Amino acid sequence: MSDRAVFEQAGAVPEQRGAAAGLRAEARSLDAADELRGKRAEFVLDDTVYLDGNSLGALPAHVPGRVADVIARQWGELRIRSWDESGWWAAPERIGDRIAPLVGAAPGQIVVGDSTSVNVFKALVGAVRLARGEDGGHPGAGASGSAGHPGEGRDEIIVDATTFPTDGYIAQSAARLTGCRLTPLAPAEVPAAVSSRTAAVLLNHADYRTGRLHDLPGLTAAVRAAGALAVWDLCHTAGALPVGLDAHGVDLAVGCTYKYLNGGPGSPAYLYVREEHQARFDSPLPGWTSHVEPFGMRPEFEAAHGVTRGRVGTPDILSMLALEAALDVWDGVPVEAVRAKSLALTDFFLRCVEAYVPKGRVESITPEAHAERGSQVALRCEGAGDVMKRLIERGVVGDFRAPDVLRFGFTPLYVSFADAERAARVLAQTLDA
């Protein structure tokens, strides 16, 4: 259907058609000037406007061939020899080092494996043990210059009250296991609440419903100033904007790889353990691959050196190597350029929504301020679940969060300004239908 036909079907007035023409022209101009425009060709895409990369990233075009080699040659021909000859055994740390620049970490601090939920559990319990000095160590002073105050008196875990549900479930379990009380708070309330009784604080870098970006530098500094440890969930920001784990003194962090990192459905998550904590990090899930001598088969556990102690069991090689291949699309891409395009895309989409959608039909709950915005736009509207179903039928894929939120995720590597304009235009048509 032509653009004009779309608006005529929706009963658009001439002023709306004129606005559409101007915005379409602006989209073409912005796409022509986009320094990341060539990346779009590296993904498997179609005529659909895909704005759900904040739930599952698109497939990088070269991944199927790489995975076929893993299956046919590395597994099919080399078989068990591939643990050494194909580098399977070292994959968790090797791939972690490839993710590190995307989240502002030096090499040797990220290990890939397990799910996000499992890594949240490892990080949170490990943080409590570090804060209490249960392993004989102490948090110590980090990049923020704060001194640690370990001790048995630290009996509180603070959790982001707006967190993705699984983080809350894991925090409840971690609190029971460690004998801590659990205190749910909005991130903005944390600086005034964190105290000498707090062991660890688990926060989401971005709110998964609204796209609100929380103040990672400021909140981390407040947590560490109180002698507690800061644990961040980066699922909705890694690959969309600079994080700066090392620079801002983050103690531990976790994240998934199937959203903005395009690792594929269920691709393994990652765990960041700041270098200064690694010698004292006491994982609640010690496994044979985190043993200092994994093939020694000793009954006593002795943790491996470095971030390797964050491993648990046998690496999930097929999905892990698919992720490794997917990360190739990041070669030569500055995260700062991704962030600049993300903000430009979401700004442009919001302008298009304002121009096309009649007032009062939707309400943006995504912050306008760039410093407070992730890489998604959340719109509240009546009947949002049905609206999203009809949008998908019309070739615009976002997602729905109960009770009334439409979410549109903007992945700068493959989403264009023309996509943003078309999505807003089809949204207006759908609401008027």
Side-chain angles (χ1 to χ4, degrees):
M1 183 180 294
S2 70
D3 296 330
R4 179 174 180 178
V6 166
F7 273 87
E8 288 179 347
Q9 183 178 9
V13 297
E15 290 79 6
Q16 287 176 304
R17 293 197 293 272
L23 288 168
R24 288 198 302 275
E26 183 177 353
R28 289 192 293 270
S29 177
L30 290 168
D31 283 331
D34 175 19
E35 65 178 291
L36 298 177
R37 63 185 180 278
K39 284 291 171 181
R40 184 179 175 96
E42 297 182 27
F43 291 85
V44 177
L45 299 168
D46 51 27
D47 291 336
T48 300
V49 174
Y50 189 66
L51 301 181
D52 210 5
N54 54 331
S55 288
L56 176 64
L59 171 67
H62 67 282
V63 168
R66 293 276 289 279
V67 172
D69 176 73
V70 172
I71 293 172
R73 184 181 63 84
Q74 296 181 29
W75 179 15
E77 297 176 15
L78 296 178
R79 292 178 286 275
I80 201 166
R81 292 163 52 194
S82 277
W83 286 105
D84 291 322
E85 295 180 29
S86 300
W88 287 1
W89 184 260
E93 293 84 2
R94 182 178 70 246
I95 302 171
D97 283 348
R98 293 197 64 183
I99 292 172
L102 302 178
V103 293
Q109 298 179 100
I110 293 179
V111 64
V112 174
D114 306 311
S115 68
T116 305
S117 300
V118 171
N119 282 312
V120 169
F121 182 72
K122 288 187 282 186
L124 195 53
V125 175
V128 172
R129 292 174 175 178
L130 283 166
R132 290 175 171 173
E134 291 181 356
D135 58 350
H138 57 85
S144 64
S146 64
H149 304 286
E152 294 182 357
R154 294 193 178 272
D155 59 359
E156 177 187 53
I157 294 173
I158 294 176
V159 64
D160 184 343
T162 62
T163 189
F164 189 78
T166 194
D167 287 22
Y169 306 153
I170 295 295
Q172 291 171 24
S173 180
R176 291 197 304 271
L177 179 69
T178 58
C180 288
R181 70 174 184 268
L182 187 66
T183 305
L185 293 172
E189 298 173 317
V190 168
V194 67
S195 72
S196 61
R197 303 302 300 268
T198 308
V201 180
L202 174 61
L203 295 166
N204 285 259
H205 197 190
D207 187 299
Y208 78 98
R209 295 182 186 87
T210 67
R212 175 176 291 277
L213 184 67
H214 298 306
D215 179 12
L216 182 146
L219 290 170
T220 299
V223 170
R224 287 177 61 87
L229 277 83
V231 182
W232 284 91
D233 183 329
L234 309 178
C235 286
H236 289 86
T237 53
L241 51 88
V243 177
L245 292 178
D246 286 355
H248 301 308
V250 170
D251 296 297
L252 298 107
V254 301
C256 68
T257 60
Y258 50 79
K259 293 182 172 65
Y260 297 111
L261 298 183
N262 312 296
S267 57
Y270 57 90
L271 169 67
Y272 165 89
V273 182
R274 191 171 184 83
E275 185 178 14
E276 68 184 81
H277 297 314
Q278 289 177 10
R280 302 183 301 276
F281 177 68
D282 182 15
S283 172
L285 294 173
W288 77 283
T289 73
S290 60
H291 196 286
V292 69
E293 190 183 354
F295 294 97
M297 303 301 168
R298 290 194 268 128
E300 307 85 9
F301 181 77
E302 182 182 352
H305 304 294
V307 77
T308 297
R309 62 177 54 197
R311 292 171 64 154
V312 183
T314 306
D316 40 350
I317 292 299
L318 297 183
S319 58
M320 190 168 289
L321 297 188
L323 164 64
E324 183 173 33
L327 291 171
D328 287 352
V329 300
W330 288 95
D331 290 347
V333 176
V335 179
E336 293 75 14
V338 172
R339 176 59 167 166
K341 183 178 176 183
S342 166
L343 292 172
L345 278 168
T346 49
D347 278 344
F348 183 65
F349 177 70
L350 286 167
R351 284 203 292 116
C352 291
V353 169
E354 184 179 8
Y356 295 160
V357 177
K359 291 187 181 300
R361 297 300 301 275
V362 299
E363 173 195 2
S364 174
I365 57 174
T366 296
E368 292 185 11
H370 286 181
E372 299 174 5
R373 187 193 309 167
S375 197
Q376 74 177 48
V377 172
L379 302 176
R380 179 175 287 137
C381 79
E382 184 177 348
D386 183 60
V387 170
M388 183 53 68
K389 288 179 182 178
R390 288 185 284 137
L391 279 172
I392 293 172
E393 291 170 357
R394 290 173 164 86
V396 174
V397 178
D399 66 16
F400 159 70
R401 287 292 179 266
D404 58 0
V405 175
L406 304 171
R407 291 197 320 168
F408 301 95
F410 290 83
T411 305
L413 291 186
Y414 55 78
V415 173
S416 68
F417 291 91
D419 288 336
E421 187 276 333
R422 179 181 162 197
R425 185 161 32 88
V426 174
L427 173 62
Q429 176 198 14
T430 301
L431 291 171
D432 285 340

